[in-house]
């Protein structure tokens, strides 16, 4: 007979299993085995790490996008799962029969098509990859509504907002207030920005994350992307999405309601909290994560962002307000500029400059379909790459 716990055990596919979010998701699965079973795992090219995750979880299906590394994957596997490869394999794993939820934790835009395929196959989505909502939030949310599946936010800020909004009417929301740590250069004078190295930018003060999102946290593009993500996830206009700097990263975001009351969600900065809640929602399940020790929280501070010194927030607001293909263009240009910075081809400040120039050259297409979005994405990548090359031929 099925017990209450086995009935509620969620069968989850992890796309991006070898990354920082993927690792945290594996920790959650280890921590609450009665509530989370991993049935599918996918990564891009890290065959060894994918095989290790598969050997531990005994996931029934495993996908490596880079087909040239499949031999390494098979030789490292200690059992015989179904093996998928390439982009098509990624979509198949996203639609796995028997899976109930797909956690999309692929950095960049590679998660968009598999996410849409998962929705079409009736799977709930747990979304870490904010890029897919920035690029195609209108389509993703519409498809999810039409297929009657849930989109559960994993980004800690959006997971916090999701928790604050539960049981509330969206008409009663006055403001969504996203908290931002401010990154490693929160107090660095603008005149010193030109000397910033990738090594310095990769040292995040409060979160341990993959390299792309860590640079985005330093430029504040991460928060800009999150403003647009919140707009789509919660159906709130951009003008009601605000940002406040909160260096301690304890308050993960807040919602202010029509009566002036604000609700917030608090925890230590550990992605296992939001991942677990996305998986067990609407239930609260005991785990081994440390709860807040309020006697040791000496202060929680909140500051207005330095908008002029960190132009990413204004660029993202503009992209979100104009909408159409402009957010996809901003996202793609930023991805190329960040890669250029990490490759030491352009400076930290060039990232904002490149994104702004590419956005200025784009004429946005309103309510784009997927093809128009992907076309804009490709266009922006080429434009941004051209700028990177012209700065550092
Ligand atoms: P990482 O760089 O640590 O990991 C990226 C993962 O994506 C890896 O598993 C990588 O595989 C896989 N991947 C990359 N490209 C492809 C592709 N084309 N097809 C399939 N898989 C691919 O990133 P993070 O875990 O930090 O971030 C993942 C997403 O989650 C991002 O969108 C980020 O913005 C978001 N996020 C991350 C947070 C964090 O704390 N890290 C917090 C909130 C959101 P391989 O290793 O084989 O290359």
């Amino acid at each position: 007979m099925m017990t209450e716990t086995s009935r509620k055990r969620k069968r989850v596919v992890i796309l991006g299993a070898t990354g920082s979010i993927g690792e945290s998701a594996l920790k959650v699965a280890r921590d609450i085995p009665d509530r989370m079973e991993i049935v599918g795992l996918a990564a891009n090219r890290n065959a060894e790490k994918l095989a290790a995750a598969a050997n531990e979880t005994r996931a029934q299906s495993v996908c490596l996008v880079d087909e040239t590394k499949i031999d390494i994957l098979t030789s490292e596997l200690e059992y015989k799962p179904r093996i998928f490869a390439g982009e098509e394999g990624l979509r198949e794993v996203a639609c796995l029969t028997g899976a109930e939820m797909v956690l999309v934790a692929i950095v960049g835009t590679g998660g968009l098509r598999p996410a849409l395929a998962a929705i079409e196959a009736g799977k709930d989505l747990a979304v870490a990859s904010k890029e897919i909502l920035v690029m195609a939030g209108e389509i993703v949310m519409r498809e999810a509504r039409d297929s009657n599946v849930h989109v559960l936010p994993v980004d800690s800020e959006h997971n916090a907002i999701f928790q604050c909004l539960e049981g509330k009417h969206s008409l009663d929301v006055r403001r969504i207030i996203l908290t931002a740590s401010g990154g490693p250069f929160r107090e660095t004078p603008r005149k010193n920005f030109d000397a910033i190295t990738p090594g310095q930018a990769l040292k995040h003060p409060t979160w341990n994350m993959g390299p792309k999102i860590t640079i985005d946290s330093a430029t504040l593009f991460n928060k800009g992307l999150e403003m647009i993500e919140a707009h789509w996830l919660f159906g709130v206009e951009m003008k009601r999405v605000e940002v406040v700097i909160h260096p301690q990263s304890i308050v993960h975001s807040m919602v202010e309601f029509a009566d002036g009351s604000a609700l917030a969600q608090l925890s230590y900065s550990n992605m296992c909290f939001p991942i677990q809640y996305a998986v067990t929602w609407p239930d609260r399940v005991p785990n081994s994560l440390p709860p807040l020790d309020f006697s040791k929280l000496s202060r929680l501070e909140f500051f207005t962002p330095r908008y002029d010194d960190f132009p990413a927030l204004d660029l993202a607001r503009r992209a979100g307000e104009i909408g159409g293909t402009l957010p996809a263009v901003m996202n793609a240009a930023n991805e190329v500029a960040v890669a250029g910075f990490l490759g030491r081809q352009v400076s930290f400040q060039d990232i904002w400059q490149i994104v702004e120039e590419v956005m200025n050259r784009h004429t946005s297409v309103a309510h784009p379909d997927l093809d128009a979005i992907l076309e804009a994405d490709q266009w922006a990548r080429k434009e941004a790459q051209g700028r990177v090359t012209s700065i550092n031929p």
Side-chain angles (χ1 to χ4, degrees):
M1 203 177 91
M2 238 183 197
T3 62
E4 182 66 6
T5 44
S6 66
R7 192 176 63 75
K8 286 183 177 169
R9 198 166 187 225
K10 192 154 287 165
R11 294 184 297 271
V12 181
V13 171
I14 305 176
L15 308 182
T18 49
S20 159
I21 290 285
E23 273 178 29
S24 297
L26 291 172
K27 279 191 204 151
V28 173
R30 248 172 250 142
D31 204 19
I32 53 164
D34 289 344
R35 298 298 303 251
M36 181 174 178
E37 177 186 356
I38 294 175
V39 294
L41 292 167
N44 193 24
R45 58 171 71 100
N46 193 338
E48 291 89 352
K49 197 165 173 184
L50 182 64
N55 288 335
E56 177 192 335
T57 57
R58 298 286 169 187
Q60 55 188 256
S61 297
V62 179
C63 173
L64 194 64
V65 173
D66 184 346
E67 312 194 19
T68 64
K69 303 252 171 79
I70 286 289
D71 287 349
I72 305 175
L73 175 69
T74 20
S75 68
E76 300 264 331
L77 283 168
E78 294 160 2
Y79 71 114
K80 295 209 174 305
R82 279 186 74 191
I83 294 181
F84 297 87
E87 305 282 343
E88 188 46 42
L90 197 58
R91 281 200 286 280
E92 286 188 60
V93 173
C95 300
L96 218 58
T97 312
E100 296 156 295
M101 171 177 273
V102 176
L103 167 60
V104 189
I106 291 175
V107 66
T109 53
L112 180 55
R113 283 189 188 279
L116 290 170
I119 291 174
E120 202 181 320
K123 318 290 180 198
D124 283 341
L125 275 197
V127 180
S129 306
K130 58 198 85 192
E131 298 91 336
I132 70 174
L133 287 167
V134 170
M135 286 176 83
E138 190 174 11
I139 296 177
V140 170
M141 297 310 286
R142 186 182 59 226
E143 296 291 312
R145 260 191 317 272
D146 291 352
S147 300
N148 212 12
V149 303
H150 298 288
V151 178
L152 295 142
V154 164
D155 223 345
S156 58
E157 294 78 359
H158 303 77
N159 193 273
I161 295 160
F162 178 72
Q163 295 188 43
C164 296
L165 283 176
E166 270 180 299
K168 309 289 184 302
H169 201 292
S170 63
L171 285 176
D172 295 336
V173 174
R174 191 189 281 164
R175 289 190 295 161
I176 280 181
I177 304 160
L178 294 166
T179 53
S181 71
F185 311 119
R186 181 172 61 85
E187 294 183 314
T188 306
R190 175 99 191 219
K191 64 179 170 39
N192 297 348
F193 280 3
D194 253 345
I196 290 171
T197 64
Q200 291 167 327
L202 284 168
K203 281 201 192 93
H204 196 277
T206 52
W207 290 97
N208 186 7
M209 309 179 286
K212 155 72 170 49
I213 185 174
T214 306
I215 300 301
D216 285 349
S217 297
T219 59
L220 292 198
F221 262 120
N222 182 48
K223 213 49 55 182
L225 296 171
E226 288 178 2
M227 289 162 65
I228 302 172
E229 184 185 10
H231 159 64
W232 287 117
L233 273 172
F234 306 114
V236 169
E237 310 103 286
M238 284 298 291
K239 65 172 189 251
R240 290 198 283 149
V241 181
E242 295 181 14
V243 173
V244 67
I245 302 294
H246 167 49
Q248 291 80 17
S249 299
I250 294 288
V251 175
H252 296 299
S253 277
M254 298 171 268
V255 178
E256 184 184 281
F257 293 93
D259 59 1
S261 281
L263 295 186
Q265 185 264 336
L266 286 71
S267 70
Y268 288 121
S269 46
N270 180 336
M271 287 308 294
C272 292
F273 284 105
I275 293 170
Q276 170 172 323
Y277 192 61
V279 171
T280 65
W281 172 81
D283 298 344
R284 302 275 179 183
V285 175
N287 55 28
S288 66
L289 297 172
L292 284 177
D293 181 347
F294 285 94
S295 67
K296 291 195 179 132
L297 289 181
S298 55
R299 56 189 174 153
L300 295 177
E301 298 168 301
F302 300 93
F303 305 103
T304 303
R306 289 161 55 195
Y307 289 102
D308 291 344
D309 292 344
F310 293 85
L313 294 176
D314 286 340
L315 289 171
R317 185 168 296 287
R318 188 174 118 208
E321 277 170 359
I322 293 174
T325 43
L326 194 56
V329 163
M330 182 189 82
N331 175 62
N334 178 52
E335 230 176 275
V336 172
V338 168
F341 172 65
L342 286 171
R344 295 180 178 271
Q345 291 170 281
V346 302
S347 74
F348 186 71
Q349 302 209 74
D350 285 334
I351 299 176
W352 296 310
Q353 187 67 34
I354 291 168
V355 175
E356 183 171 8
E357 284 178 13
V358 176
M359 281 173 69
N360 286 347
R361 279 205 287 271
H362 182 66
T363 309
S364 182
V365 177
H367 305 293
D369 60 14
L370 194 57
D371 287 342
I373 290 170
L374 295 172
E375 202 178 299
D377 172 277
Q378 287 307 312
W379 173 85
R381 278 171 206 278
K382 242 189 241 139
E383 290 284 317
Q385 195 52 56
R387 281 293 303 140
V388 169
T389 315
S390 74
I391 292 170
N392 194 340

